[in-house]
Amino acid sequence: MLTFLGFAMIATFLVLIMMKKMSPIAALVLIPALFCVFAGKGAHLGDYVIDGVGKLAPTAAMLMFAIVYFGVMIDVGLFDPIVRGILRFCKADPVRVVVGTAVLAAIVSLDGDGSTTFMITVSAMYPLYKRLGLSLVVMTGVAATANGVMNTLPWGGPTARAATALKVDASDIFVPMIPALAVGLLFVFGLAYVLGLKERRRIGTLVMPGDDAERPAGEAAEPAEERLLVATAPGSAPGSAPGSVSSRTGGGSGSGTSDPAADPAADPASDPSPYEEGFQGLDPRRATLRPRLYWFNAGLTVALLAAMIMELLPIPVLFLLGAALALTVNFPHMPDQKARIAAHADNVLNVAGMVFAAAVFTGVLSGTGMVKHMADWLVGVVPEGMGPHMALVTGLLSLPLTYFMSNDGFYFGVLPVLAEAGAAHGVSPLEIARAALVGQALHMSSPLVPAVYVLVGMAKVEFGDHTRFTVKWAALTSLVVLGAGMLFGII
């Protein structure tokens, strides 16, 4: 009964948010509450929720202060050189933009924290996607999948959990997996290239208005990256605003004509969405820039990330201290500090709300015993003849289980059972542990992962849209990693 209710609860949640019948926060709270009553344990709902909130409170605190910290770093211009470098590489080409998103997400993922990766990636790429009219779910999908592959780093969490659960060395798990993970990352880059081609066909070949062929003689050329960094007002004339783009050639939606008046869809300036209220891009002349403090802010960020990796203090404490220090040094006057906090309050509230709502979902799943019954059922349906192939079975099971469960639940609750079953057939615990990592590409888009709400919140993408687009590609990436691991004899 609990097995059925657990799967039904998850399916109901996913269907409702993907069909946009409920907001994620409402669905995360109301659906588990209803199924808790169905399970006959409604009287214990309060205990389950409090337990879930207690477990996720440190994560919520970390995300709140991390958003403030990186928001301040973006305000003061720490990431502007990165954005300019990406823009020079991308040159308004959708293929380069999407591939650049994957590369940036993979590089930043080296810090081992998904929330940090998504904040930096979205902050750098969001203005460019909006300027060029590219699909934002492509950005969130590519970033989440790239981060999922990189989330297997020993300091990222899953590898350490697997090593602890099976009492093996983390390096013995991770180092042999590097070739398979490299194949997975190359697949993500290839996927980004294909999705970029689709975007290029959809919107056409984009060029900056006022390029040399169209610019009056003697007029100074404005660097493309500077124009893209500056947002324009809604009333700006098409073709004259810095940062706007036009379509020169190409087919598909938004690129069939050279006359914006004849086809409003062809002109990004005619669509109010790129110029939504509050959208400022990364204006190189914004008042919050602190060029004289650039190296202080860079050093503070490097020190903060190093302290995270070395685990000198709990991550929430590090971000709390970092946010307070960044605000005090960059904005010493109280009104300026209040203004910066207010500027990022929307993101903080949305993400913290999502995390605490997810605490209801995870609390009910764990407290009622649904998650344990679901895991036991999945392990139990594995045929006896598959015993010698338990590494493959573990890899396949890691996809749904790490999507529907927390990493702690899977690695500490299910993985030891799978390893014990494999050991009875001579399968090494190391092979089981390596196979258990392949589902991370899909796990990073799970509704139980707080970082994904940072991603969709900052990108202004509906969680249901992100899920519908990303799950198939993330699952395929996980299968590629699993296949490469078997081909190389790692799994």
Side-chain angles (χ1 to χ4, degrees):
M1 181 64 175
L2 287 175
T3 301
F4 171 77
L5 287 176
F7 283 115
M9 183 174 82
I10 293 169
T12 303
F13 168 76
L14 292 175
V15 168
L16 288 176
I17 62 169
M18 285 193 286
M19 294 180 66
K20 299 183 181 179
K21 298 298 183 182
M22 294 183 74
S23 69
I25 287 183
L28 284 167
V29 172
L30 297 179
I31 291 173
L34 185 63
F35 275 84
C36 185
V37 174
F38 289 163
K41 301 189 178 184
H44 301 287
L45 177 62
D47 295 332
Y48 299 154
V49 172
I50 293 300
D51 184 58
V53 168
K55 290 178 179 177
L56 288 182
T59 300
M62 182 272 289
L63 293 176
M64 289 172 60
F65 290 105
I67 290 171
V68 173
Y69 179 83
F70 283 105
V72 169
M73 291 298 111
I74 291 162
D75 292 338
V76 301
L78 178 62
F79 302 113
D80 283 20
I82 298 175
V83 176
R84 294 190 186 100
I86 293 171
L87 290 171
R88 291 190 188 100
F89 167 77
C90 294
K91 297 179 180 176
D93 179 6
V95 174
R96 292 191 178 200
V97 171
V98 180
V99 172
T101 302
V103 172
L104 178 62
I107 292 173
V108 182
S109 295
L110 290 171
D111 75 338
D113 180 64
S115 303
T116 304
T117 298
F118 295 147
M119 280 186 276
I120 294 175
T121 302
V122 174
S123 299
M125 303 304 296
Y126 179 82
L128 186 54
Y129 274 77
K130 295 294 285 185
R131 274 301 140 229
L132 303 182
L134 301 179
S135 171
L136 290 172
V137 292
V138 171
M139 176 180 70
T140 61
V142 167
T145 308
N147 176 253
V149 175
M150 296 296 289
N151 194 45
T152 52
L153 293 167
W155 54 88
T159 301
R161 288 181 175 92
T164 303
L166 300 186
K167 297 179 175 59
V168 295
D169 191 87
S171 62
D172 290 337
I173 299 174
F174 176 73
V175 174
M177 276 293 288
I178 290 176
L181 296 173
V183 171
L185 197 57
L186 288 175
F187 177 80
V188 173
F189 294 156
L191 173 63
Y193 180 81
V194 172
L195 294 175
L197 288 176
K198 283 187 174 182
E199 287 297 284
R200 181 192 283 171
R201 285 194 293 269
R202 182 177 67 85
I203 63 179
T205 302
L206 298 172
V207 295
M208 301 302 298
D211 270 353
D212 292 338
E214 302 167 331
R215 187 180 295 110
E219 182 178 338
E222 181 183 4
E225 61 270 17
E226 288 300 315
R227 292 201 299 278
L228 278 170
L229 283 171
V230 184
T232 56
S236 301
S240 63
S244 61
V245 295
S246 63
S247 178
R248 175 175 287 174
T249 61
S253 174
S255 62
T257 176
S258 60
D259 182 8
D263 182 8
D267 180 24
S270 67
D271 180 2
S273 61
Y275 306 99
E276 61 196 17
E277 184 178 356
F279 172 63
Q280 298 297 326
L282 291 179
D283 187 343
R285 292 177 289 276
R286 59 192 184 277
T288 57
L289 288 177
R290 298 293 186 268
R292 293 183 180 179
L293 294 172
Y294 183 85
W295 291 112
F296 167 80
N297 290 316
L300 178 62
T301 302
V302 170
L304 181 62
L305 297 179
M308 286 172 51
I309 294 172
M310 297 171 64
E311 299 181 352
L312 297 181
L313 286 172
I315 293 179
V317 176
L318 288 172
F319 274 116
L320 192 156
L321 294 173
L325 186 58
L327 279 169
T328 302
V329 173
N330 288 282
F331 302 98
H333 301 295
M334 186 68 69
D336 294 334
Q337 292 183 15
K338 289 182 178 180
R340 288 302 91 212
I341 293 173
H344 303 292
D346 186 42
N347 277 335
V348 169
L349 180 60
N350 284 335
V351 172
M354 287 284 195
V355 172
F356 285 121
V360 180
F361 198 93
T362 58
V364 170
L365 264 181
S366 301
T368 59
M370 289 181 188
V371 71
K372 183 179 185 304
H373 280 75
M374 291 163 61
D376 290 344
W377 178 81
L378 283 170
V379 173
V381 298
V382 177
E384 183 68 25
M386 291 297 293
H389 308 287
M390 279 305 295
L392 172 62
V393 171
T394 300
L396 293 175
L397 287 178
S398 72
L399 273 70
L401 290 180
T402 57
Y403 187 79
F404 296 136
M405 299 172 63
S406 68
N407 272 340
D408 285 340
F410 175 70
Y411 288 107
F412 294 124
V414 178
L415 187 59
V417 177
L418 295 171
E420 185 177 348
H425 294 275
V427 180
S428 165
L430 286 172
E431 293 183 57
I432 299 292
R434 293 168 194 153
L437 298 178
V438 304
Q440 287 303 304
L442 179 59
H443 171 76
M444 287 310 298
S445 290
S446 165
L448 304 182
V449 175
V452 75
Y453 299 115
V454 176
L455 176 64
V456 298
M458 292 187 68
K460 298 178 176 62
V461 169
E462 290 291 335
F463 181 78
D465 293 337
H466 170 78
T467 300
R468 188 163 48 245
F469 176 82
T470 306
V471 163
K472 57 182 179 294
W473 300 119
L476 185 57
T477 302
S478 293
L479 292 175
V480 167
V481 174
L482 178 60
M486 296 185 67
L487 183 64
F488 294 145
I490 302 166
I491 296 174

